[in-house]
Amino acid sequence: MRKDNRLRKLNNKGSAIVTVLIVIIFISILATTVLYLAGRNVKMKATDRHTKESFYATETTLEEVKAGLVRIASDCYDKAFAEVMKHYAGSDSSSRRYLFVQTFVQSFIDTWEPEGDIYPDMTVADLVTNPTMFESVGTFDKSERNSGILYIKDVEVSHTVGGYTTKIKTDFAIRVPDAEFDVGADTSVPDSPEATRTININDCVLYTNWEKR
């Protein structure tokens, strides 16, 4: 009987060790799971941050392009308005509008594609602070110039941050401002462009066929 009691005591001690081992293994698994999830969370946040930084960098470059095109469009607007003023009294509203459209379009073309060999043709890379981000500077399309629209097509920008790359491809449409020259009688001359209608030149440069890759 005494021998059996000793064996039982030994068996009790063994079960306690097994219980401790099970608890340790469980805690280890739990700790490993927590560490894994924490690591995944950190990695996901880093990925999200790098993706956003990459996207914002490409967007900033395209916004620089748009701002540059708006500046050119603004200069063309001033030239076109001045040209209309020269012939205002001797023309009707439709003739003024036609002259305005043609002068605006031609002024933009002359700026983008200057004649002669002194100045090279412009590209969108000339409008930004970091031209190395362009995979394609696009092509200048004048096929709809008679409708008062010019295009810079297939502009593509890419940027990589932390191994994550964002690519954006888009076209830019430059539309002639919707200015009207029918104020009062045909012989009345407005003092300034603002006297005809409030024009927002920013609305004359638009993104078209925008695509994120």
Side-chain angles (χ1 to χ4, degrees), residues 4 28 30 47 119 129 210:
D4 292 341
S28 298
L30 183 62
T47 300
Y119 300 104
T129 55
W210 191 95

Side-chain angles (χ1 to χ4, degrees), residues 43-212:
K43 187 175 181 180
M44 289 175 63
K45 287 184 177 180
T47 300
D48 183 63
R49 185 179 70 255
H50 292 153
T51 301
K52 287 181 178 179
E53 289 176 356
S54 176
F55 176 76
Y56 291 147
T58 53
E59 273 286 280
T60 298
T61 298
L62 291 175
E63 283 297 304
E64 282 188 88
V65 172
K66 182 178 179 180
L69 294 175
V70 168
R71 287 194 299 271
I72 297 173
S74 180
D75 292 339
C76 295
Y77 175 77
D78 291 340
K79 292 176 183 178
F81 183 85
E83 187 65 23
V84 171
M85 292 302 99
K86 293 178 184 178
H87 308 280
Y88 201 94
S91 59
D92 57 20
S93 59
S94 60
S95 298
R96 296 166 193 159
R97 176 62 186 174
Y98 177 81
L99 178 60
F100 179 80
V101 170
Q102 295 304 312
T103 304
F104 179 95
V105 169
Q106 191 58 52
S107 295
F108 196 100
I109 293 173
D110 291 343
T111 302
W112 202 258
E113 296 179 334
E115 294 183 359
D117 300 327
I118 299 177
Y119 300 104
D121 292 350
M122 288 188 67
T123 70
V124 291
D126 298 319
L127 304 175
V128 301
T129 55
N130 185 10
T132 61
M133 293 177 61
F134 287 99
E135 291 198 0
S136 171
V137 295
T139 56
F140 189 41
D141 184 355
K142 300 173 286 187
S143 60
E144 296 187 38
R145 59 177 297 175
N146 291 333
S147 300
I149 304 176
L150 300 170
Y151 292 98
I152 301 174
K153 293 186 174 181
D154 299 324
V155 176
E156 189 167 355
V157 179
S158 68
H159 187 62
T160 301
V161 177
Y164 296 91
T165 301
T166 297
K167 293 184 179 181
I168 297 178
K169 184 178 181 181
T170 187
D171 301 340
F172 288 93
I174 301 95
R175 301 188 307 177
V176 176
D178 191 20
E180 297 179 358
F181 299 95
D182 54 355
V183 179
D186 286 343
T187 56
S188 62
V189 180
D191 296 328
S192 66
E194 290 75 16
T196 60
R197 185 177 180 181
T198 300
I199 301 294
N200 186 352
I201 302 298
N202 287 305
D203 295 337
C204 300
V205 179
L206 306 172
Y207 292 105
T208 61
N209 300 320
W210 191 95
E211 179 183 354
K212 180 178 178 293

